Amino acid sequence: MPLAMNRDVFITCAVTGSGDTVGRTDKIPVTPAQIADAAIEAAKAGAAIAHCHVRDPETGAPSRDPALFAEVVERIRASDTDVVINLTAGMGGDLVLGGTEAPLPPGEGTDMAGATERLAHIEACRPEICTLDCGTMNFGHGDYVMTNTTAMLREMGGRMTALGVKPEIEAFDTGHLWFARQLVEDGVLEDPALVQLCMGIPWGAPDDLTTFLAMVNNIPEGWHFSAFSIGRNALAYPAAAVLAGGNLRVGLEDCIWEERGVPATNGRLVERAVAVVENMGARIIGPDEVRERLGLRRP
C-alpha cells in the first residue's frame, strides 16, 4: 500500500463511552451537563466531532434514555461553540448468556431492544451523525455478546438514511466492512459512507499495523474513514491513522490516562492529537469543512 497521508484531518472526541470507567477516574463526565461541557471542551481544543453516549446521572451506568440524550444535545446546541454531534446508536444489542452450561435464559445485563426503540433518541434529537455497529462479536470477556444481526443493521441503517442522519459505520473487523459494502450496494446506506475503524478491542481486530492496513485496504475508494485504538496505544494511533489517509478519534471512551499516573481529560487528549497532526505537517479542519466533506445535513 503506498503512503497516502491525509493532509486535512478531522478529529472526533469520544467524550464518555459506556465502559466501566467511572470508578477509575473522576474525569469521566456522567451527567448531561458534564457530557455537554466535555463535548464543548473537546471542540475548543480542536475536535470537529463530539461522539456522545449518556450515563445514569446517579450511578454512572450506561443508559439509552432519550431524555438524557436530548438534554446533552440541547446544551451543546445552545452553547456558542460549534461541533458536529455524533450520538451512539449502539445500545440495545447487549446479550449476556446465562453461562456455559445453561446459556438460556439470558443473564443479568441483557438489554435487547427493537430498531424503533434503539433509534428513539436519534429520531428525537436528529444529530448530524450516529453510529452503526456493523456486526456481532464477542466484545470483551465472559458471556457478553454485542448483537447486531444483518436484519437489524439493514433496518437501522435504512431508518438512519431516511432521517437524514449520517451513519458512522463502526467496524471492529474486516467482515464488518464487507457487510457495510453490501449495505451501500443495496442502497441501504448512501455512498460515500463514513467508517470508524475500532482497533484493539477484544475480540475484534487487534491494533497491530498489519491488521490495521488490512482494515484500511478493505475500505472502498472514496469512502471517508477515521480510526482509533484503546488504552496504551490510543495516543499513538493518530499518527497511524493520518499516515494511512484517514482521520482520528481520541477521548475518555478510549483512554483515561494522558501518561502513566496522569489522568486524562478530553481536552488534553484532543490537544495531544492536534500536536501530532500538526507536527506531521497536516492541518486540522473544523466542523463546517467536515459537514461539506461528509455531506452532513444540519438539523
Side-chain angles (χ1 to χ4, degrees):
M1 173 183 174
L3 183 67
M5 177 176 162
N6 184 10
R7 300 285 176 177
D8 299 291
V9 178
F10 64 77
I11 297 175
T12 297
C13 185
V15 299
T16 187
S18 59
D20 185 20
T21 51
V22 172
R24 298 168 59 194
T25 173
D26 62 2
K27 307 300 183 184
I28 299 292
V30 171
T31 68
Q34 291 170 346
I35 294 167
D37 286 346
I40 293 165
E41 173 195 18
K44 289 180 176 179
I49 302 172
H51 172 56
C52 300
H53 291 244
V54 295
R55 295 177 178 269
D56 184 314
E58 301 298 323
T59 67
S63 174
R64 52 183 176 84
D65 183 347
L68 297 176
F69 279 105
E71 184 177 346
V72 169
V73 170
E74 288 166 5
R75 286 177 177 273
I76 296 172
R77 287 176 176 164
S79 75
D80 59 0
T81 300
D82 187 23
V83 66
V84 174
I85 298 174
N86 174 345
L87 298 184
T88 184
M91 308 290 288
D94 302 314
L95 174 62
V96 181
L97 298 176
T100 57
E101 297 299 330
L104 297 177
E108 183 179 355
T110 295
D111 178 29
M112 298 292 290
T116 298
E117 186 176 350
R118 290 181 69 171
L119 293 177
H121 63 296
I122 303 300
E123 184 169 5
C125 298
R126 301 296 175 96
E128 293 171 83
I129 301 172
C130 70
T131 62
L132 184 66
D133 295 339
C134 218
T136 294
M137 64 178 280
N138 293 324
F139 197 110
H141 303 282
D143 293 305
Y144 173 72
V145 182
M146 180 180 76
T147 307
N148 296 287
T149 66
T150 57
M152 180 65 78
L153 290 170
R154 287 181 180 278
E155 181 65 22
M156 290 178 65
R159 291 185 182 213
M160 293 170 185
T161 300
L163 288 170
V165 178
K166 183 78 169 181
E168 180 185 75
I169 296 161
E170 308 295 290
F172 297 83
D173 219 332
T174 52
H176 300 178
L177 293 168
W178 184 9
F179 186 63
R181 290 200 305 271
Q182 192 63 51
L183 290 177
V184 171
E185 288 177 14
D186 293 344
V188 176
L189 304 183
E190 295 178 343
D191 192 8
L194 171 64
V195 173
Q196 183 71 254
L197 299 180
C198 309
M199 308 299 297
I201 297 171
W203 297 104
D207 64 1
D208 62 89
L209 291 179
T210 299
T211 303
F212 176 57
L213 289 180
M215 295 282 279
V216 171
N217 288 333
N218 272 280
I219 298 173
E221 186 176 354
W223 287 21
H224 307 283
F225 81 92
S226 186
F228 71 92
S229 184
I230 62 173
R232 65 184 297 179
N233 290 333
L235 289 174
Y237 242 72
V242 173
L243 282 172
N247 304 282
L248 61 102
R249 174 177 129 173
V250 292
L252 290 177
E253 178 172 354
D254 307 325
C255 179
I256 62 174
W257 303 105
E258 185 177 343
E259 55 188 73
R260 184 181 293 273
V262 180
T265 65
N266 286 296
R268 278 296 298 150
L269 292 173
V270 173
E271 288 171 357
R272 293 278 297 267
V274 167
V276 169
V277 172
E278 292 182 338
N279 285 334
M280 294 173 69
R283 180 177 70 95
I284 300 295
I285 68 173
D288 282 338
E289 285 189 74
V290 169
R291 291 182 180 107
E292 182 177 0
R293 179 185 295 184
L294 301 182
L296 303 181
R297 304 172 194 174
R298 301 191 73 162

